[in-house]
Tab-separated table of all heavy atoms in Angstrom:
chain	number	residue	atom	x	y	z
A	28	LEU	N	10.633	0.237	-0.229
A	28	LEU	CA	10.461	1.618	-0.572
A	28	LEU	C	9.176	1.710	-1.514
A	28	LEU	O	8.350	2.610	-1.220
A	28	LEU	CB	11.712	2.020	-1.445
A	28	LEU	CG	12.872	2.254	-0.635
A	28	LEU	CD1	14.082	2.561	-1.591
A	28	LEU	CD2	12.748	3.303	0.352
A	29	VAL	N	8.832	0.774	-2.358
A	29	VAL	CA	7.742	0.904	-3.204
A	29	VAL	C	6.456	0.715	-2.274
A	29	VAL	O	5.388	1.226	-2.459
A	29	VAL	CB	7.708	-0.229	-4.316
A	29	VAL	CG1	6.378	-0.274	-5.073
A	29	VAL	CG2	8.789	0.093	-5.261
A	30	GLY	N	6.540	-0.232	-1.287
A	30	GLY	CA	5.390	-0.391	-0.402
A	30	GLY	C	5.080	0.954	0.400
A	30	GLY	O	3.892	1.341	0.570
A	31	PHE	N	6.033	1.674	0.934
A	31	PHE	CA	5.933	2.999	1.527
A	31	PHE	C	5.250	3.944	0.489
A	31	PHE	O	4.428	4.761	0.939
A	31	PHE	CB	7.209	3.466	2.063
A	31	PHE	CG	7.504	2.803	3.512
A	31	PHE	CD1	8.702	2.081	3.589
A	31	PHE	CD2	6.617	2.907	4.518
A	31	PHE	CE1	9.027	1.557	4.832
A	31	PHE	CE2	6.911	2.333	5.732
A	31	PHE	CZ	8.120	1.740	5.904
A	32	TYR	N	5.736	3.907	-0.676
A	32	TYR	CA	5.190	4.867	-1.694
A	32	TYR	C	3.652	4.610	-1.915
A	32	TYR	O	2.825	5.454	-2.042
A	32	TYR	CB	6.052	4.547	-3.003
A	32	TYR	CG	5.327	5.325	-4.237
A	32	TYR	CD1	5.338	6.606	-4.425
A	32	TYR	CD2	4.813	4.424	-5.223
A	32	TYR	CE1	4.738	7.296	-5.568
A	32	TYR	CE2	4.254	5.021	-6.303
A	32	TYR	CZ	4.104	6.415	-6.557
A	32	TYR	OH	3.573	7.020	-7.633
A	33	LEU	N	3.321	3.313	-2.036
A	33	LEU	CA	1.884	3.003	-2.293
A	33	LEU	C	1.034	3.252	-1.053
A	33	LEU	O	0.009	3.767	-1.170
A	33	LEU	CB	1.795	1.493	-2.534
A	33	LEU	CG	2.369	0.999	-3.905
A	33	LEU	CD1	2.357	-0.423	-4.092
A	33	LEU	CD2	1.701	1.595	-5.110
A	34	PHE	N	1.665	3.083	0.061
A	34	PHE	CA	0.909	3.396	1.251
A	34	PHE	C	0.798	4.884	1.508
A	34	PHE	O	-0.320	5.334	1.876
A	34	PHE	CB	1.807	2.898	2.611
A	34	PHE	CG	1.109	3.064	3.813
A	34	PHE	CD1	0.033	2.188	4.208
A	34	PHE	CD2	1.353	4.134	4.732
A	34	PHE	CE1	-0.521	2.387	5.386
A	34	PHE	CE2	0.761	4.313	5.913
A	34	PHE	CZ	-0.204	3.374	6.394
A	35	PHE	N	1.797	5.646	1.090
A	35	PHE	CA	1.614	7.112	1.110
A	35	PHE	C	0.533	7.610	0.226
A	35	PHE	O	-0.484	8.320	0.448
A	35	PHE	CB	2.885	7.895	0.722
A	35	PHE	CG	2.680	9.326	0.334
A	35	PHE	CD1	2.553	10.121	1.369
A	35	PHE	CD2	2.716	9.783	-0.960
A	35	PHE	CE1	2.419	11.569	1.050
A	35	PHE	CE2	2.635	10.987	-1.312
A	35	PHE	CZ	2.393	11.949	-0.246
A	36	CYS	N	0.491	6.989	-1.088
A	36	CYS	CA	-0.621	7.360	-2.078
A	36	CYS	C	-1.918	6.910	-1.599
A	36	CYS	O	-2.958	7.661	-1.803
A	36	CYS	CB	-0.278	6.674	-3.385
A	36	CYS	SG	1.229	7.369	-4.239
A	37	GLY	N	-2.055	5.860	-0.932
A	37	GLY	CA	-3.251	5.295	-0.241
A	37	GLY	C	-3.827	6.330	0.729
A	37	GLY	O	-4.996	6.604	0.762
A	38	CYS	N	-2.907	6.776	1.666
A	38	CYS	CA	-3.243	7.759	2.687
A	38	CYS	C	-3.768	9.046	1.989
A	38	CYS	O	-4.798	9.646	2.487
A	38	CYS	CB	-2.128	7.973	3.632
A	38	CYS	SG	-1.624	6.642	4.564
A	39	TYR	N	-3.053	9.443	0.960
A	39	TYR	CA	-3.437	10.750	0.351
A	39	TYR	C	-4.736	10.561	-0.324
A	39	TYR	O	-5.662	11.473	-0.320
A	39	TYR	CB	-2.417	11.038	-0.924
A	39	TYR	CG	-2.519	12.405	-1.366
A	39	TYR	CD1	-1.833	13.491	-0.916
A	39	TYR	CD2	-3.291	12.722	-2.414
A	39	TYR	CE1	-1.984	14.768	-1.497
A	39	TYR	CE2	-3.569	13.944	-3.042
A	39	TYR	CZ	-2.828	14.984	-2.520
A	39	TYR	OH	-2.975	16.205	-3.140
A	40	ASP	N	-5.006	9.413	-1.031
A	40	ASP	CA	-6.360	9.223	-1.564
A	40	ASP	C	-7.498	9.083	-0.503
A	40	ASP	O	-8.531	9.487	-0.825
A	40	ASP	CB	-6.339	7.949	-2.530
A	40	ASP	CG	-7.545	7.769	-3.223
A	40	ASP	OD1	-7.822	8.486	-4.191
A	40	ASP	OD2	-8.320	6.785	-2.836
A	41	LEU	N	-7.092	8.500	0.639
A	41	LEU	CA	-8.167	8.386	1.704
A	41	LEU	C	-8.590	9.832	2.228
A	41	LEU	O	-9.766	9.978	2.487
A	41	LEU	CB	-7.618	7.640	2.825
A	41	LEU	CG	-8.514	7.308	4.061
A	41	LEU	CD1	-9.628	6.590	3.614
A	41	LEU	CD2	-7.793	6.635	5.058
A	42	MET	N	-7.667	10.656	2.210
A	42	MET	CA	-7.966	11.989	2.797
A	42	MET	C	-8.604	12.963	1.693
A	42	MET	O	-9.512	13.781	1.980
A	42	MET	CB	-6.641	12.618	3.287
A	42	MET	CG	-6.251	11.949	4.642
A	42	MET	SD	-4.763	12.869	5.370
A	42	MET	CE	-3.547	12.490	4.150
A	43	PHE	N	-8.120	12.918	0.413
A	43	PHE	CA	-8.494	13.899	-0.556
A	43	PHE	C	-9.172	13.297	-1.800
A	43	PHE	O	-9.779	14.117	-2.546
A	43	PHE	CB	-7.293	14.584	-1.044
A	43	PHE	CG	-6.520	15.289	0.044
A	43	PHE	CD1	-5.252	14.861	0.517
A	43	PHE	CD2	-7.036	16.452	0.741
A	43	PHE	CE1	-4.579	15.385	1.457
A	43	PHE	CE2	-6.320	17.007	1.866
A	43	PHE	CZ	-5.125	16.650	2.122
A	44	GLY	N	-9.113	12.006	-1.992
A	44	GLY	CA	-9.615	11.373	-3.206
A	44	GLY	C	-11.165	11.079	-3.009
A	44	GLY	O	-11.739	11.191	-1.962
A	45	LYS	N	-11.735	10.612	-4.048
A	45	LYS	CA	-13.215	10.389	-4.165
A	45	LYS	C	-13.629	9.059	-4.875
A	45	LYS	O	-14.715	8.695	-4.913
A	45	LYS	CB	-14.046	11.575	-4.967
A	45	LYS	CG	-13.749	12.970	-4.302
A	45	LYS	CD	-14.585	14.026	-5.103
A	45	LYS	CE	-14.334	15.337	-4.507
A	45	LYS	NZ	-15.003	16.462	-5.416
A	46	ASN	N	-12.606	8.378	-5.371
A	46	ASN	CA	-12.764	7.173	-6.005
A	46	ASN	C	-12.516	5.922	-5.324
A	46	ASN	O	-12.507	4.843	-5.856
A	46	ASN	CB	-11.948	7.190	-7.358
A	46	ASN	CG	-12.389	8.242	-8.258
A	46	ASN	OD1	-13.513	8.555	-8.400
A	46	ASN	ND2	-11.369	8.855	-8.886
A	47	HIS	N	-12.164	5.955	-4.023
A	47	HIS	CA	-11.893	4.836	-3.199
A	47	HIS	C	-10.819	3.976	-3.727
A	47	HIS	O	-10.752	2.742	-3.478
A	47	HIS	CB	-13.159	3.927	-2.995
A	47	HIS	CG	-14.318	4.728	-2.420
A	47	HIS	ND1	-14.354	5.133	-1.064
A	47	HIS	CD2	-15.531	5.034	-3.025
A	47	HIS	CE1	-15.564	5.817	-0.890
A	47	HIS	NE2	-16.215	5.864	-2.071
A	48	PHE	N	-9.797	4.684	-4.399
A	48	PHE	CA	-8.784	3.814	-5.015
A	48	PHE	C	-7.851	3.457	-3.890
A	48	PHE	O	-6.962	2.587	-4.096
A	48	PHE	CB	-7.981	4.823	-5.942
A	48	PHE	CG	-6.868	4.273	-6.702
A	48	PHE	CD1	-7.175	2.944	-7.211
A	48	PHE	CD2	-5.732	4.858	-7.057
A	48	PHE	CE1	-6.157	2.329	-7.923
A	48	PHE	CE2	-4.627	4.217	-7.776
A	48	PHE	CZ	-4.979	2.995	-8.286
A	49	PHE	N	-7.876	4.142	-2.579
A	49	PHE	CA	-6.981	3.740	-1.513
A	49	PHE	C	-7.141	2.231	-1.216
A	49	PHE	O	-6.235	1.723	-0.566
A	49	PHE	CB	-7.283	4.571	-0.391
A	49	PHE	CG	-8.638	4.406	0.276
A	49	PHE	CD1	-8.956	3.480	1.233
A	49	PHE	CD2	-9.708	5.293	-0.148
A	49	PHE	CE1	-10.130	3.301	1.712
A	49	PHE	CE2	-10.928	5.165	0.400
A	49	PHE	CZ	-11.214	4.179	1.324
A	50	ILE	N	-8.239	1.574	-1.472
A	50	ILE	CA	-8.470	0.127	-1.117
A	50	ILE	C	-7.375	-0.591	-1.775
A	50	ILE	O	-6.742	-1.455	-1.236
A	50	ILE	CB	-9.881	-0.233	-1.491
A	50	ILE	CG1	-10.893	0.476	-0.766
A	50	ILE	CG2	-10.183	-1.725	-1.241
A	50	ILE	CD1	-12.410	0.290	-1.113
A	51	PHE	N	-7.361	-0.428	-3.168
A	51	PHE	CA	-6.309	-1.298	-3.900
A	51	PHE	C	-4.896	-0.835	-3.434
A	51	PHE	O	-4.050	-1.580	-3.350
A	51	PHE	CB	-6.513	-0.884	-5.332
A	51	PHE	CG	-5.207	-1.202	-6.218
A	51	PHE	CD1	-4.992	-2.652	-6.544
A	51	PHE	CD2	-4.387	-0.270	-6.612
A	51	PHE	CE1	-3.867	-2.950	-7.235
A	51	PHE	CE2	-3.214	-0.586	-7.421
A	51	PHE	CZ	-3.020	-2.017	-7.784
A	52	LEU	N	-4.609	0.477	-3.225
A	52	LEU	CA	-3.356	0.875	-2.865
A	52	LEU	C	-2.868	0.312	-1.499
A	52	LEU	O	-1.701	-0.133	-1.362
A	52	LEU	CB	-3.316	2.461	-2.705
A	52	LEU	CG	-3.361	3.174	-4.141
A	52	LEU	CD1	-3.500	4.659	-3.871
A	52	LEU	CD2	-2.322	2.772	-4.909
A	53	TYR	N	-3.803	0.287	-0.531
A	53	TYR	CA	-3.384	-0.324	0.803
A	53	TYR	C	-3.074	-1.819	0.708
A	53	TYR	O	-2.116	-2.386	1.163
A	53	TYR	CB	-4.462	-0.162	1.781
A	53	TYR	CG	-4.507	1.193	2.443
A	53	TYR	CD1	-5.681	1.861	2.778
A	53	TYR	CD2	-3.356	1.976	2.648
A	53	TYR	CE1	-5.836	3.118	3.337
A	53	TYR	CE2	-3.367	3.234	3.161
A	53	TYR	CZ	-4.515	3.898	3.533
A	53	TYR	OH	-4.489	5.098	4.081
A	54	ILE	N	-3.965	-2.457	-0.147
A	54	ILE	CA	-3.769	-4.042	-0.216
A	54	ILE	C	-2.422	-4.300	-1.044
A	54	ILE	O	-1.720	-5.193	-0.663
A	54	ILE	CB	-4.780	-4.606	-1.015
A	54	ILE	CG1	-6.234	-4.472	-0.105
A	54	ILE	CG2	-4.735	-6.097	-1.334
A	54	ILE	CD1	-7.496	-4.961	-0.930
A	55	GLN	N	-2.125	-3.557	-2.073
A	55	GLN	CA	-0.904	-3.802	-2.868
A	55	GLN	C	0.242	-3.398	-2.083
A	55	GLN	O	1.352	-3.977	-2.004
A	55	GLN	CB	-1.033	-2.986	-4.167
A	55	GLN	CG	0.104	-3.273	-5.154
A	55	GLN	CD	0.140	-4.709	-5.629
A	55	GLN	OE1	-0.772	-5.019	-6.446
A	55	GLN	NE2	0.980	-5.513	-5.238
A	56	ALA	N	0.136	-2.166	-1.260
A	56	ALA	CA	1.285	-1.820	-0.325
A	56	ALA	C	1.483	-2.955	0.708
A	56	ALA	O	2.731	-3.301	0.989
A	56	ALA	CB	0.936	-0.620	0.371
A	57	PHE	N	0.440	-3.603	1.242
A	57	PHE	CA	0.615	-4.669	2.177
A	57	PHE	C	1.328	-5.864	1.599
A	57	PHE	O	2.073	-6.534	2.164
A	57	PHE	CB	-0.699	-5.106	2.724
A	57	PHE	CG	-0.763	-6.155	3.752
A	57	PHE	CD1	-0.084	-5.846	4.981
A	57	PHE	CD2	-1.276	-7.448	3.562
A	57	PHE	CE1	0.008	-6.947	5.964
A	57	PHE	CE2	-1.214	-8.392	4.544
A	57	PHE	CZ	-0.552	-8.001	5.843
A	58	ALA	N	0.980	-6.082	0.243
A	58	ALA	CA	1.609	-7.183	-0.490
A	58	ALA	C	3.139	-6.902	-0.708
A	58	ALA	O	4.008	-7.866	-0.552
A	58	ALA	CB	1.015	-7.477	-1.902
A	59	PHE	N	3.527	-5.687	-0.992
A	59	PHE	CA	4.823	-5.286	-1.046
A	59	PHE	C	5.649	-5.401	0.291
A	59	PHE	O	6.776	-5.917	0.314
A	59	PHE	CB	5.129	-3.897	-1.509
A	59	PHE	CG	5.191	-3.824	-2.990
A	59	PHE	CD1	4.031	-3.530	-3.924
A	59	PHE	CD2	6.360	-4.009	-3.694
A	59	PHE	CE1	4.193	-3.407	-5.261
A	59	PHE	CE2	6.512	-3.897	-5.082
A	59	PHE	CZ	5.369	-3.635	-5.918
A	60	PHE	N	5.028	-5.143	1.422
A	60	PHE	CA	5.534	-5.217	2.660
A	60	PHE	C	5.875	-6.668	3.039
A	60	PHE	O	6.851	-7.119	3.588
A	60	PHE	CB	4.681	-4.600	3.738
A	60	PHE	CG	4.637	-3.191	3.696
A	60	PHE	CD1	3.454	-2.383	4.034
A	60	PHE	CD2	5.803	-2.396	3.357
A	60	PHE	CE1	3.528	-1.044	4.034
A	60	PHE	CE2	5.809	-0.981	3.458
A	60	PHE	CZ	4.612	-0.316	3.664
A	61	ILE	N	4.872	-7.654	2.662
A	61	ILE	CA	5.008	-9.027	2.884
A	61	ILE	C	6.342	-9.529	2.128
A	61	ILE	O	7.055	-10.268	2.732
A	61	ILE	CB	3.816	-9.855	2.494
A	61	ILE	CG1	2.648	-9.419	3.471
A	61	ILE	CG2	4.097	-11.293	2.572
A	61	ILE	CD1	1.362	-10.075	3.133
A	62	MET	N	6.372	-9.090	0.840
A	62	MET	CA	7.586	-9.484	0.166
A	62	MET	C	8.682	-8.894	0.574
A	62	MET	O	9.905	-9.635	0.683
A	62	MET	CB	7.338	-8.985	-1.387
A	62	MET	CG	8.322	-9.554	-2.401
A	62	MET	SD	8.328	-11.175	-2.766
A	62	MET	CE	6.920	-11.325	-3.813
A	63	ALA	N	8.758	-7.586	1.057
A	63	ALA	CA	9.956	-7.031	1.461
A	63	ALA	C	10.542	-7.634	2.721
A	63	ALA	O	11.787	-7.750	2.821
A	63	ALA	CB	9.634	-5.525	1.962
A	64	PHE	N	9.689	-8.190	3.596
A	64	PHE	CA	10.245	-8.839	4.835
A	64	PHE	C	10.330	-10.345	4.639
A	64	PHE	O	10.612	-10.999	5.556
A	64	PHE	CB	9.258	-8.514	6.017
A	64	PHE	CG	9.417	-7.052	6.425
A	64	PHE	CD1	8.448	-6.076	6.247
A	64	PHE	CD2	10.476	-6.648	7.162
A	64	PHE	CE1	8.537	-4.860	6.555
A	64	PHE	CE2	10.550	-5.337	7.480
A	64	PHE	CZ	9.626	-4.433	7.244
A	65	GLY	N	10.188	-10.783	3.362
A	65	GLY	CA	10.408	-12.288	3.106
A	65	GLY	C	9.383	-13.142	3.582
A	65	GLY	O	9.734	-14.451	3.680
A	66	TYR	N	8.114	-12.821	3.894
A	66	TYR	CA	7.239	-13.769	4.448
A	66	TYR	C	6.481	-14.374	3.280
A	66	TYR	O	5.238	-14.235	3.215
A	66	TYR	CB	6.271	-13.065	5.388
A	66	TYR	CG	6.948	-12.684	6.746
A	66	TYR	CD1	7.328	-11.373	7.033
A	66	TYR	CD2	7.321	-13.727	7.729
A	66	TYR	CE1	8.062	-11.111	8.113
A	66	TYR	CE2	8.005	-13.391	8.789
A	66	TYR	CZ	8.389	-12.192	9.173
A	66	TYR	OH	8.955	-11.884	10.311
A	67	VAL	N	7.098	-15.007	2.341
A	67	VAL	CA	6.539	-15.586	1.203
A	67	VAL	C	7.126	-17.069	1.054
A	67	VAL	O	8.402	-17.059	1.169
A	67	VAL	CB	6.632	-14.861	-0.080
A	67	VAL	CG1	6.130	-15.583	-1.306
A	67	VAL	CG2	6.072	-13.461	-0.009
A	68	GLY	N	6.456	-17.967	1.008
A	68	GLY	CA	6.987	-19.424	0.744
A	68	GLY	C	7.607	-19.976	2.147
A	68	GLY	O	7.165	-19.484	3.226
A	69	THR	N	8.545	-20.776	2.077
A	69	THR	CA	9.198	-21.403	3.100
A	69	THR	C	10.538	-20.807	3.281
A	69	THR	O	11.270	-20.727	2.419
A	69	THR	CB	9.389	-22.964	3.063
A	69	THR	OG1	8.010	-23.540	2.731
A	69	THR	CG2	9.930	-23.576	4.147
A	70	PHE	N	10.938	-20.359	4.451
A	70	PHE	CA	12.117	-19.766	4.805
A	70	PHE	C	13.122	-20.799	5.291
A	70	PHE	O	12.975	-21.356	6.410
A	70	PHE	CB	12.031	-18.725	5.795
A	70	PHE	CG	13.299	-18.023	6.053
A	70	PHE	CD1	14.189	-17.318	5.214
A	70	PHE	CD2	13.793	-17.880	7.440
A	70	PHE	CE1	15.431	-16.846	5.465
A	70	PHE	CE2	15.016	-17.310	7.763
A	70	PHE	CZ	15.816	-16.792	6.810
């Protein structure tokens, strides 16, 4: 859920923002998605 929230904020910043903050938001959202699906460490 937090990953989707960050991804939404990144899309909003990409369309309407001026500070290129979406770069951080997309990368952090991707990190949350990796954690959400358990692709960290050894399974």
Side-chain angles (χ1 to χ4, degrees):
L28 291 174
V29 174
F31 279 124
Y32 167 73
L33 293 172
F34 186 78
F35 166 77
C36 292
C38 292
Y39 190 94
D40 186 67
L41 179 62
M42 291 186 290
F43 305 108
K45 299 179 181 179
N46 297 322
H47 304 288
F48 190 39
F49 64 87
I50 298 174
F51 163 75
L52 292 173
Y53 281 147
I54 295 175
Q55 188 64 69
F57 185 64
F59 267 97
F60 288 143
I61 292 176
M62 183 72 74
F64 290 105
Y66 289 104
V67 178
T69 302
F70 177 60

